[in-house]
Amino acid sequence: MKPLAELTEPMVAQAIAAGVNTVILPLGATEQHGSHLPMGTDTWRAVALAERLAERLPVLVAPVIPIGCSDEHSGFAGLLSLDAETLAAVIVDCARRMVAWGVRHLIVLSAHGGNGHALTLAAARLQQEVPALAVWIPDAMLVCGATVLAIAEQDGIPLSALGLHAGEGETSELLHLSPEQVRMDLAVPGYTGDMPTALMQLVAVGTQALTLTGVVGDPRQADAGRGERYLVAQTACYETALRQWLTQTNPV
Ligand SMILES: [Zn+2]
């Protein structure tokens, strides 16, 4: 289906009447992604995954929320960020309106790890306050992490380069999605140590304490073809998990 924002009201009503009562709400972020990727990197990635899923499944795609919880990038220019309670409230407010016109399944698809706490808050509130809606908030690492890492390893890209933020992974994806936005001439390595440690450090002390380049990983070997393979593989992982969730879910 086309994105919700491109449909007319009768088209939405018709879709709901035909049983299309699932919405994907993509969440992005506006935060530094090194000197070589744009602020909206996670937003473009969230939209791409949601729209690819909508090509395969009978779902509506809500407009992306382009500002997430990104205070781990404090100190870098360009940052926009919401408090976790605010983002959770935006999700809950949208969900409440969706139920009113017939939505019964909501998938909150976040392409930014820093949104995790807000998603936990939103899940708890949705269960309490919007019980008519079955909600799935996939954990990207759990659903897709191993598959993405396997593709990288096949191509000789270690996890330390694939990275967690603006590394080979995200850079390859942007090279596929929007190459004109990528400045490979400015791509430099950032933190390339142990990634589980980096993940904890990002939350505890922020990106600047880890690396002044703003990059966690090494983007220099990024490749558009591999980026497409990452996105195709992630879409397939989400599709499988989503189909399974939909068949298991019994909305009120
Ligand atoms: Zn990112």
Side-chain angles (χ1 to χ4, degrees):
M1 296 239 8
K2 277 189 188 177
L4 184 66
E6 294 177 27
L7 300 177
T8 61
E9 193 276 342
M11 289 161 88
V12 176
Q14 202 174 18
I16 290 286
V20 181
N21 60 10
T22 301
V23 169
I24 298 177
L25 174 62
L27 302 187
T30 301
E31 61 186 33
Q32 71 82 21
H33 273 77
S35 302
H36 65 294
L37 291 180
M39 295 280 158
T41 292
D42 293 346
T43 301
W44 312 132
R45 293 172 48 245
V47 169
L49 287 169
E51 290 186 350
R52 282 162 188 237
L53 283 167
E55 286 168 8
R56 290 161 178 77
L57 293 158
V59 296
L60 296 163
V61 177
V64 67
I65 299 176
I67 303 174
C69 300
S70 301
D71 282 339
E72 69 273 21
H73 298 289
S74 292
F76 290 101
L79 174 71
L80 297 178
S81 189
L82 301 174
D83 290 347
E85 290 76 10
T86 309
L87 180 57
V90 170
I91 295 167
V92 173
D93 287 357
C94 290
R96 202 180 282 125
R97 274 63 173 193
M98 289 177 197
V99 166
W101 48 267
V103 177
R104 291 296 174 265
H105 302 84
L106 171 65
I107 297 99
V108 184
L109 191 66
S110 173
H112 169 55
N115 291 338
H117 180 47
L119 291 172
T120 304
L121 295 177
R125 281 195 55 193
L126 287 166
Q127 200 174 14
Q128 285 285 319
E129 299 171 35
V130 198
L133 195 64
V135 181
W136 183 49
I137 304 180
D139 179 323
M141 287 284 193
L142 276 181
V143 177
C144 312
T147 308
V148 169
L149 185 57
I151 292 171
E153 280 175 350
Q154 251 173 28
D155 286 14
I157 306 289
L159 177 58
S160 60
L162 177 71
L164 294 175
H165 182 78
E168 186 278 333
E170 287 191 326
T171 306
S172 291
E173 290 181 14
L174 258 283
L175 277 175
H176 171 63
L177 291 174
S178 193
E180 69 284 357
Q181 295 200 72
V182 182
R183 289 288 307 268
M184 282 310 290
D185 55 319
L186 299 177
V188 293
Y191 173 91
T192 53
D194 182 62
M195 287 299 148
T197 305
L199 193 55
M200 284 189 293
Q201 290 276 88
L202 278 180
V203 177
V205 293
T207 315
Q208 275 196 338
L210 208 58
T211 168
L212 290 174
T213 66
V215 174
V216 182
D218 184 348
R220 288 174 299 176
Q221 289 185 73
D223 173 79
R226 195 180 309 112
E228 183 178 13
R229 284 159 61 211
Y230 288 148
L231 288 163
V232 167
Q234 288 171 82
T235 305
C237 290
Y238 278 120
E239 183 185 351
T240 303
L242 181 48
R243 284 188 190 281
Q244 201 174 10
W245 176 74
L246 285 170
T247 55
Q248 286 169 355
T249 307
N250 253 331
V252 177

